[in-house]
Amino acid sequence: EPADHVALPNYPWQRERHWHDVTSESLGLLGRTKVHPLLGYKLAQQELTWENQLDVQLVPMLADHVVGDATVFPGTGYAELALAAAQQWRSENCVEIADLEIRSPLVLNDDHSKAVRLCIDAGDGSFSIRGREFSSDQAWTVHAVGRLPAEASSALIGNTWSGVPERQADFSGDIHLSLTARAGLAYGTAFQVVSHGWIEGGTVRAVLRESGVAQEDSPGYYLHPAVLDCTFQLIIHLLRDELDAHEGV
């Protein structure tokens, strides 16, 4: 049935804007395309700058990196961010990261996301990784800095893998996990891929299990942060005496 006619008021309409204010997080939102799970998207208004929103819901494997009582963005994540940015910048077969320094931990929680921004100085290849609470006007905190040399060192490219020893392993995955726990590192499943390994002087070698998390994520990563972190974890075996003496590092 036809609708009834409604008499309109004969006074002027009250005009009111309902647009949200533009923020750095909302600018160009519809045109964004993520180039990498951690690096995020390129900022059109800034040269060689990428930004992303990170939390344990958007990137679940980050919830498995617990130091003490805090969920902390892994140091290997900064390396992956630098690799991804280098590939976006130059797209080379071999990338070297120099002078990577972690200045401040990036602590994650369930309540708020973090905005993480990586900027490269095209002049010397230096880069910074900064963060702040997502959609806030807080000052940016510098979490890591480093440099991307124009060419990778030939000495690094020439390194070869000598293989694993044929003798019985010096430690198992369970022993490794117990040592990390004693040091206050409560790793979740994604960061538990050390199977067994050997200690020879100041060198630790290990075999890593296939990681279901890494396999699911692998198309988007160069060196998966959870797997690379497990190689860094091996230093705990060189600090075993300190753990025994001080019950922690």
Side-chain angles (χ1 to χ4, degrees), residues 1-38:
E1 298 180 0
D4 295 333
H5 289 279
V6 177
L8 296 176
N10 54 12
Y11 54 82
W13 291 99
Q14 294 174 326
R15 298 179 179 274
E16 185 177 351
R17 285 180 58 87
H18 292 280
W19 294 102
H20 291 291
D21 293 334
V22 175
T23 66
S24 60
E25 286 82 5
S26 66
L27 188 63
L29 180 62
L30 297 179
R32 292 175 184 169
T33 301
K34 279 193 176 184
V35 298
H36 183 274
L38 297 183

Side-chain angles (χ1 to χ4, degrees), residues 161-213:
W161 166 244
S162 59
V164 298
E166 296 182 358
R167 60 182 177 82
Q168 184 176 356
D170 295 319
F171 61 87
S172 64
D174 290 339
I175 292 174
H176 172 79
L177 195 59
S178 68
L179 287 176
T180 58
R182 287 172 58 193
L185 304 170
Y187 292 123
T189 303
F191 292 81
Q192 297 180 15
V193 300
V194 173
S195 172
H196 55 277
W198 299 263
I199 305 169
E200 296 182 338
T203 300
V204 183
R205 292 185 173 91
V207 172
L208 305 183
R209 294 187 295 267
E210 289 188 1
S211 167
V213 173

